[in-house]
Amino acid sequence: MPIRTLTLPFDPIEDGQLLSEALSILESGGLIGIPTETVYGLAADAGNSRAVAKIFSAKERPRFNPLICHVESLEAACGIGVFDDTAIQLAEAFWPGPLTLVVPKRESASVCDLATAGLDTIAVRIPAAPATRWLCERLGRPLAAPSANRSGRISSTSAKDVDEELGSSVSLILDAGPTPVGLESTIISLVGGKPVQLRPGGLSRSLIEEVLCGPLAGKMPNDPEKPAAPGMLASHYAPAAPIRLGARDARTGEAVLGFGSLDGFISPDGQEILNLSPLGDLTEAAANLFGYLRRLDSGSPSTIAVTPIPETGLGEAINDRLRRAAAPRNR
Ligand code: TXA
Ligand code: MG
């Protein structure tokens, strides 16, 4: 069991030994599980191609799918990517936080080509978890980290999830408790002039539009043959059980994932019913989404029926994840 618990709130002195252990694993090309505010990450030194290769094999992730580079400061971000005025404006408004910016990659960036899948762009973010920022700073290079789940599966929102998904591939999992946001970062591309949202996520479109003083171009182009973010394949975030969206009732054998009032919802055969947010709060629902999907899935229901969730605010990202979880699978 590689899980080790961090002191909360973050105290680098109290946790000195644990953090030095984590740092020396990264320096010697190993993998660790890291906390972020969105989901847990599977991290390696982004400058070490052998270490980054281990991420792809541990996750069974296709190598055409680039990784996000995590840094501790805007200065470090500007060292690996070219930030125009809009990129700086968004970074200053939302970092540290659940936003990833795709910008042109600097040739001098201390990031191996495997991490960016050979692209001339790079995805960068500053995560809110202080222990992870501390590690980036001490390493002196970005941490390449995808979500800590096997490719196509539900993302990890606790250290225990990381252990279940990838425990045998990591030397250490830093446990900072459940992730507060619960959905991956929103990804905005700034490479084509106008900002474009490539992936809805833990920062809602409306907050970004407020800072941009205008609408955010392009909804996620949903062409699975040619995904805008190479990792946005149709089937993703998938539990073992099939998913039925827009459910208005519970059928025999079905577990239920609900939202808001579930008056009248009764499972005919006593399957589990979980409510993402009885009061209809989308922030609470986002934080609960992946954990509840995992929990319902562990009961091996015939199907997980999901009641309708509004498309506003974080609902855009929640529904995106649920549609992908419900999509036909190639495995
Ligand atoms: O919240 C998050 O974003 C988490 C935490 C750990 O930071 N990370 C995460 O990583 O969700 P991952 O690998 O599961 O998703 C990253 C997405 C993929 O869809 C990938 O294709 C896209 O980012 N991406 C990475 N680099 C890109 C680039 N240069 N251009 C377009 N998309 C990129
Ligand atoms: Mg992922």
Side-chain angles (χ1 to χ4, degrees), residues 221-248:
N222 224 342
D223 177 359
E225 295 297 315
K226 207 174 164 227
M232 295 300 280
L233 303 172
S235 171
H236 208 137
Y237 314 104
I243 300 262
R244 180 167 72 87
L245 298 178
R248 307 267 172 199

Side-chain angles (χ1 to χ4, degrees), residues 34-43 55 59 61 64-70 97-103 105 115-117 119-127 132 143-149 155-156 181-189 191 198-199 201-202 227-233 236-237 321:
I34 53 162
T36 87
E37 75 283 33
T38 56
V39 297
Y40 275 76
L42 174 65
I55 294 181
K59 281 191 57 122
R61 178 177 176 113
F64 61 77
N65 189 2
L67 307 175
I68 294 174
C69 288
H70 299 71
L99 173 69
T100 293
L101 298 175
V102 174
V103 296
K105 182 184 177 185
T116 50
L119 298 174
D120 54 9
T121 57
I122 189 164
V124 190
R125 86 180 188 96
I126 304 182
T132 295
L143 282 179
S147 52
N149 51 277
S155 302
S156 293
V181 175
L183 290 174
E184 298 81 355
S185 57
T186 300
I187 304 181
I188 303 291
S189 167
V191 294
L198 301 184
R199 175 176 77 180
M232 295 300 280
L233 303 172
H236 208 137
Y237 314 104
R321 303 306 187 263

